[in-house]
Short mmCIF file of all heavy atoms in Angstrom, two decimals:
data_model
loop_
_atom_site.label_atom_id
_atom_site.label_comp_id
_atom_site.label_asym_id
_atom_site.label_seq_id
_atom_site.Cartn_x
_atom_site.Cartn_y
_atom_site.Cartn_z
N PHE Z 27 -5.78 12.06 14.22
CA PHE Z 27 -6.40 12.77 13.09
C PHE Z 27 -7.82 13.22 13.44
O PHE Z 27 -8.21 14.35 13.18
CB PHE Z 27 -6.46 11.88 11.84
CG PHE Z 27 -5.17 11.76 11.07
CD1 PHE Z 27 -5.03 10.74 10.14
CD2 PHE Z 27 -4.12 12.63 11.23
CE1 PHE Z 27 -3.87 10.61 9.40
CE2 PHE Z 27 -2.95 12.51 10.51
CZ PHE Z 27 -2.83 11.50 9.59
N SER Z 36 -6.68 22.58 11.68
CA SER Z 36 -6.31 22.11 10.34
C SER Z 36 -4.81 22.19 10.08
O SER Z 36 -4.25 21.33 9.40
CB SER Z 36 -7.09 22.86 9.26
OG SER Z 36 -6.83 24.24 9.35
N ASN Z 37 -4.14 23.20 10.62
CA ASN Z 37 -2.69 23.30 10.40
C ASN Z 37 -1.96 22.14 11.08
O ASN Z 37 -1.06 21.54 10.49
CB ASN Z 37 -2.14 24.63 10.92
CG ASN Z 37 -2.54 25.79 10.03
OD1 ASN Z 37 -2.87 25.60 8.87
ND2 ASN Z 37 -2.52 26.99 10.59
N GLU Z 38 -2.35 21.84 12.30
CA GLU Z 38 -1.73 20.72 13.01
C GLU Z 38 -2.07 19.39 12.34
O GLU Z 38 -1.23 18.49 12.26
CB GLU Z 38 -2.19 20.69 14.47
CG GLU Z 38 -1.65 21.82 15.31
CD GLU Z 38 -2.17 21.77 16.73
OE1 GLU Z 38 -2.27 20.66 17.29
OE2 GLU Z 38 -2.48 22.84 17.28
N LEU Z 39 -3.29 19.30 11.83
CA LEU Z 39 -3.72 18.08 11.13
C LEU Z 39 -2.88 17.85 9.89
O LEU Z 39 -2.39 16.74 9.65
CB LEU Z 39 -5.20 18.18 10.78
CG LEU Z 39 -5.80 17.02 9.99
CD1 LEU Z 39 -5.68 15.71 10.75
CD2 LEU Z 39 -7.27 17.32 9.68
N MET Z 40 -2.68 18.89 9.11
CA MET Z 40 -1.89 18.74 7.88
C MET Z 40 -0.42 18.48 8.20
O MET Z 40 0.24 17.70 7.51
CB MET Z 40 -2.03 19.98 6.98
CG MET Z 40 -3.43 20.13 6.40
SD MET Z 40 -4.14 18.61 5.69
CE MET Z 40 -3.02 18.20 4.41
N THR Z 41 0.09 19.10 9.24
CA THR Z 41 1.48 18.84 9.65
C THR Z 41 1.64 17.38 10.05
O THR Z 41 2.60 16.71 9.63
CB THR Z 41 1.87 19.76 10.83
OG1 THR Z 41 1.77 21.12 10.41
CG2 THR Z 41 3.29 19.48 11.29
N LEU Z 42 0.70 16.86 10.84
CA LEU Z 42 0.76 15.46 11.24
C LEU Z 42 0.61 14.54 10.03
O LEU Z 42 1.31 13.53 9.93
CB LEU Z 42 -0.32 15.15 12.28
CG LEU Z 42 -0.38 13.71 12.76
CD1 LEU Z 42 0.94 13.30 13.43
CD2 LEU Z 42 -1.56 13.51 13.71
N TYR Z 43 -0.27 14.91 9.12
CA TYR Z 43 -0.46 14.12 7.90
C TYR Z 43 0.85 14.00 7.12
O TYR Z 43 1.29 12.91 6.76
CB TYR Z 43 -1.55 14.75 7.03
CG TYR Z 43 -1.73 14.06 5.70
CD1 TYR Z 43 -2.49 12.91 5.59
CD2 TYR Z 43 -1.13 14.56 4.55
CE1 TYR Z 43 -2.66 12.27 4.38
CE2 TYR Z 43 -1.30 13.93 3.33
CZ TYR Z 43 -2.06 12.79 3.25
OH TYR Z 43 -2.20 12.15 2.04
N TYR Z 44 1.50 15.12 6.85
CA TYR Z 44 2.74 15.10 6.07
C TYR Z 44 3.88 14.40 6.81
O TYR Z 44 4.65 13.66 6.21
CB TYR Z 44 3.16 16.53 5.67
CG TYR Z 44 2.24 17.11 4.64
CD1 TYR Z 44 1.52 18.27 4.88
CD2 TYR Z 44 2.07 16.49 3.40
CE1 TYR Z 44 0.66 18.80 3.92
CE2 TYR Z 44 1.21 17.01 2.45
CZ TYR Z 44 0.51 18.16 2.71
OH TYR Z 44 -0.33 18.67 1.76
N LYS Z 45 3.97 14.62 8.11
CA LYS Z 45 5.00 13.93 8.89
C LYS Z 45 4.76 12.42 8.88
O LYS Z 45 5.70 11.63 8.77
CB LYS Z 45 5.04 14.44 10.33
CG LYS Z 45 5.74 15.76 10.49
CD LYS Z 45 5.81 16.17 11.95
CE LYS Z 45 6.52 17.50 12.10
NZ LYS Z 45 6.63 17.90 13.51
N SER Z 46 3.51 12.03 9.00
CA SER Z 46 3.17 10.60 9.00
C SER Z 46 3.50 9.96 7.66
O SER Z 46 4.05 8.85 7.61
CB SER Z 46 1.69 10.41 9.31
OG SER Z 46 1.37 10.96 10.55
N CYS Z 47 3.17 10.65 6.58
CA CYS Z 47 3.52 10.13 5.24
C CYS Z 47 5.03 9.99 5.11
O CYS Z 47 5.52 8.99 4.57
CB CYS Z 47 2.98 11.06 4.15
SG CYS Z 47 1.20 11.00 3.94
N THR Z 48 5.75 10.96 5.61
CA THR Z 48 7.21 10.92 5.55
C THR Z 48 7.76 9.75 6.33
O THR Z 48 8.61 8.99 5.85
CB THR Z 48 7.80 12.24 6.08
OG1 THR Z 48 7.30 13.32 5.29
CG2 THR Z 48 9.32 12.22 6.03
N TRP Z 49 7.26 9.56 7.56
CA TRP Z 49 7.78 8.47 8.40
C TRP Z 49 7.43 7.10 7.84
O TRP Z 49 8.25 6.18 7.91
CB TRP Z 49 7.30 8.62 9.84
CG TRP Z 49 8.18 9.57 10.59
CD1 TRP Z 49 7.90 10.84 10.97
CD2 TRP Z 49 9.53 9.30 11.00
NE1 TRP Z 49 8.99 11.39 11.60
CE2 TRP Z 49 10.01 10.46 11.63
CE3 TRP Z 49 10.38 8.22 10.90
CZ2 TRP Z 49 11.28 10.56 12.16
CZ3 TRP Z 49 11.65 8.31 11.43
CH2 TRP Z 49 12.09 9.46 12.05
N VAL Z 50 6.23 6.95 7.29
CA VAL Z 50 5.89 5.67 6.67
C VAL Z 50 6.84 5.39 5.52
O VAL Z 50 7.35 4.27 5.38
CB VAL Z 50 4.41 5.66 6.20
CG1 VAL Z 50 4.14 4.48 5.28
CG2 VAL Z 50 3.47 5.62 7.39
N SER Z 51 7.13 6.40 4.73
CA SER Z 51 8.07 6.22 3.61
C SER Z 51 9.47 5.88 4.11
O SER Z 51 10.13 5.00 3.55
CB SER Z 51 8.14 7.50 2.77
OG SER Z 51 6.89 7.77 2.20
N VAL Z 101 -1.76 6.14 5.41
CA VAL Z 101 -1.97 7.45 6.04
C VAL Z 101 -3.13 8.20 5.37
O VAL Z 101 -4.02 8.70 6.07
CB VAL Z 101 -0.67 8.29 6.05
CG1 VAL Z 101 -0.94 9.69 6.60
CG2 VAL Z 101 0.40 7.59 6.87
#
Side-chain angles (χ1 to χ4, degrees):
F27 281 164
S36 59
N37 288 339
E38 290 178 40
L39 177 60
M40 292 314 299
T41 299
L42 179 61
Y43 175 82
Y44 290 120
K45 282 183 180 181
S46 301
C47 288
T48 301
W49 277 106
V50 167
S51 297
V101 175

